Amino acid sequence: MAYATNVGVVTVIATEGLTKRYPRVTALDRLTVDIKTGVTGLVGANGAGKSTLIKILLGLSPATEGGAKVLGLDVATEGAAIRAGVGYMPEHDCLPPDVSATELVVHMARMSGMPPTAARERTADTLRHVGLYEERYRPIGGYSTGMKQRVKLAQALVHDPKLVLLDEPTNGLDPVGRDEMLGLIRRVHTDFGISVLVTSHLLGELERTSDHIVVIDGGTLLRADSTSDFTQATAALAVEVTDSEEQLLEKLTAAGLTAHSDGRLLLVDIAGDETYDTVRDAVAELGVGLVRMEQRRHRIAEIFRGESHDSAA
Amino acid sequence: MTAQPDVTPDVIHDIGYRHYDGPRLGRAYARRSLYSQSLRGAYGLGRSAKSKVLPMILFAVMCAPAAIIVAVAIGTSMTKLPVEYTRYAIIMQAVISLFLAAQAPQSVSLDLRFKVTPLYFSRPIERIDYVAAKFAALATALFALTAIPVAILYVGALLAKFDFGSQTAGFAKALVAELLLSLLYAGLGLLIAALTPRRGFGVAAIIAVFTLSYGAVSSVQAVASVQGNPGAIGWLGLFSPITLIDGVQTWWLGSTSSYVDAAGPDSALAGVVFLVVLLAVIGGSFGLLMRRYRKVGLS
């Protein structure tokens, strides 16, 4: 993958035995994880400790035990310096309805210490980058959920941070809005050069966006890996044809592919780009209709389940 | 010339992401920015036309009597203003309370209701910066509301060629009193407003606290007057914001009390108690606001 050859890879977040206990619940339990530059997906069910981790990383909530460094700065003592170089997009609504996106983002840029002129220029740039144009002068109260999410992202980016922490940025979006937001998040790293930590409780949606995936559950680290490691084992192509599934299975096996049937679907392990050609040719030779051919979704979900069983065993 | 057309598909790079390497001005600048934004907001500046209406009307209502008094003073042959400088804010207290009731919730309730505070606290500024900026901004807005009409009176008095020394002394005293009043009102108003994310509740609660406490204190003072107990009249003044200010300025600044029978704090001890209580309420409301925002944090 691209990040492996990227010479700029450094650790942006490092936690060491990070523990956070509340009177009745342990939100984080000896979490040790290293997060590099790039897009990192932080996956966990609701209550897994994602938001607690973000609060600690911003230096706003002290750890009970252990420690963490963000951009090389200690969360316990250098919170203000961390927050100067980090952007944060909250999970919930956080936008006043009576001001325009421009006014809000300019104000927030100034709260990050940007001089007035720079704040206005950066606001105009950032809002355009997240895809808000003429509507940015209208009060936020009239925006759609997708537009509001963009404003929230813009205020996290306006001061040109080195890292942004995005808490459930796809929450409340419809499938199209979700894809657009994920594409935007990808661009934050590839085009803007800003590292991203993005949380989600939906396991499937982060795999296309993230270079790395960190899975936490009950405040403990379940797995941290690059996305390719996660998906390699089960990278599969689901093929559905109108007829003759068995002959197709034989043909594919004969062509050296690993495949098995799953109901009406054939699951073919992807050995490389040529796999698609092999499948297409085999289907064409049989003369049957190809209903669909798609990469299987929720692969991470399967791994996640597998890991849970392993760790439980 | 190299092949220029190659550049065309890359047009997006012209509007591509640019990093910022200019100055970052830190907490003090952010605090000042929040202060000026909140101060302007108190008069509806930088906000919708609708939000300018009420503060501007109240400001005009505060200034109008002063302008009329000045016109009369210059037009007739008075030798001094018909109203003491320090008395002006007491007379106009209902307008000041209305302004506070409208603008204190505007300043803090919206941030709480729409959970904007996480956007502040995820930046380098700290809780104390936020609270101090909001407090100072509202106090400044109130000071402008109370001091500008008094300044109109003062300018009018000078134009009418009243005695310069005594007029200036009276004006200076009024400024001190109004500074204290602004701090007291801003502290209490913000504290009440910050308790509820609902602006309507905040408005109602501030009006209730200020008018009910004044009403209660005045009526009990009237009872004390009937029963011939001037000492009690003075002490009762501690229990409402405007009578607290009145007591302090009567004792410390030598103005005429507007209490029943003009009975201000009846001794030096009483005067000191008034001043201490006033300062304690201002400091206490700041401390309680800080506590209130400790809970708000990121959630």
Side-chain angles (χ1 to χ4, degrees), chain A residues 257-307:
Chain A
L257 289 174
T258 313
H260 63 278
S261 66
D262 177 17
R264 287 189 55 82
L265 290 174
L266 284 181
L267 294 177
V268 186
D269 284 3
I270 299 173
D273 285 347
E274 63 279 4
T275 303
Y276 299 94
D277 298 340
T278 315
V279 172
R280 179 200 60 202
D281 295 345
V283 172
E285 280 172 38
L286 283 172
V288 294
L290 183 58
V291 179
R292 63 171 151 163
M293 180 162 88
E294 62 181 16
Q295 287 205 344
R296 272 311 283 271
R297 300 200 172 234
H298 306 301
R299 289 187 296 266
I300 291 174
E302 288 153 22
I303 290 176
F304 185 47
R305 255 180 254 124
E307 289 279 324

Side-chain angles (χ1 to χ4, degrees), chain A residues 112-114 122 125 155 159, chain B residues 18 20 24-25 29 123:
Chain A
S112 285
M114 315 210 76
R122 291 264 335 158
D125 278 7
Q155 66 78 31
H159 53 294
Chain B
R18 284 178 296 172
Y20 177 74
R24 291 172 194 266
L25 301 174
Y29 164 80
R123 290 165 200 275

Side-chain angles (χ1 to χ4, degrees), chain B residues 93 96-97 100 104 138 142 180-190 210 241-242 245:
Chain B
Q93 58 157 309
I96 305 171
S97 300
L100 182 73
L138 188 58
L142 286 164
L180 291 173
L181 179 146
S182 302
L183 290 170
L184 176 71
Y185 272 47
L188 289 174
L190 285 176
F210 279 74
I242 195 71
I245 290 289

Side-chain angles (χ1 to χ4, degrees), chain B:
Chain B
M1 277 284 151
T2 48
Q4 283 294 327
D6 285 356
V7 178
T8 322
D10 291 341
V11 138
I12 198 161
H13 284 177
D14 292 342
I15 55 165
Y17 190 80
R18 284 178 296 172
H19 284 284
Y20 177 74
D21 43 20
R24 291 172 194 266
L25 301 174
R27 274 175 67 186
Y29 164 80
R31 202 167 47 220
R32 278 199 311 277
S33 299
L34 181 57
Y35 167 79
S36 63
Q37 192 240 19
S38 304
L39 175 55
R40 286 161 47 82
Y43 283 96
L45 303 172
R47 300 175 58 230
S48 66
K50 209 173 60 182
S51 27
K52 293 182 180 64
V53 176
L54 186 62
M56 290 304 178
I57 288 178
L58 292 177
F59 182 72
V61 169
M62 273 302 278
C63 292
I68 294 167
I69 290 170
V70 163
V72 172
I74 295 176
T76 60
S77 54
M78 288 183 181
T79 51
K80 68 183 191 66
L81 289 169
V83 55
E84 255 183 83
Y85 291 110
T86 44
R87 194 68 181 271
Y88 194 82
I90 311 279
I91 296 170
M92 302 297 286
Q93 58 157 309
V95 183
I96 305 171
S97 300
L98 268 182
F99 182 90
L100 182 73
Q103 300 309 313
Q106 186 278 125
S107 180
V108 290
S109 304
L110 295 179
D111 283 356
L112 289 172
R113 172 154 173 214
F114 297 105
K115 297 181 176 171
V116 189
T117 43
L119 301 188
Y120 287 99
F121 298 134
S122 62
R123 290 165 200 275
I125 65 167
E126 307 278 345
R127 194 157 40 104
I128 191 167
D129 299 320
Y130 182 86
V131 172
K134 289 287 185 187
F135 199 124
L138 188 58
T140 309
L142 286 164
F143 187 69
L145 184 76
T146 50
I148 289 174
V150 176
I152 294 174
L153 285 180
Y154 176 62
V155 170
L158 295 187
L159 288 176
K161 306 219 176 352
F162 295 160
D163 178 56
F164 179 78
S166 65
Q167 293 300 324
T168 307
F171 179 53
K173 285 175 183 174
L175 289 185
V176 173
E178 264 131 32
L179 181 65
L180 291 173
L181 179 146
S182 302
L183 290 170
L184 176 71
Y185 272 47
L188 289 174
L190 285 176
L191 184 60
I192 296 168
L195 291 178
T196 167
R198 301 289 296 273
R199 177 154 63 167
F201 288 162
V203 172
I206 292 172
I207 291 180
V209 165
F210 279 74
T211 58
L212 289 184
S213 66
Y214 176 69
V217 165
S218 310
S219 7
V220 180
Q221 279 178 331
V223 172
S225 168
V226 171
Q227 296 182 342
N229 192 345
I233 298 177
W235 287 110
L236 283 165
L238 284 171
F239 297 99
S240 97
I242 195 71
T243 52
L244 181 58
I245 290 289
D246 194 323
V248 169
Q249 67 185 15
T250 302
W251 167 74
W252 188 31
L253 304 170
S255 49
T256 314
S257 176
S258 51
Y259 291 2
V260 186
D261 304 338
D266 58 356
S267 62
L269 171 72
V272 170
V273 169
F274 265 71
L275 187 59
V276 167
V277 167
L278 172 63
L279 296 177
V281 172
I282 293 171
S285 48
F286 187 86
L288 287 172
L289 272 172
M290 284 293 288
R291 266 185 67 140
R292 166 73 177 122
Y293 279 94
R294 188 171 62 201
K295 281 192 181 166
V296 174
L298 267 199
S299 54

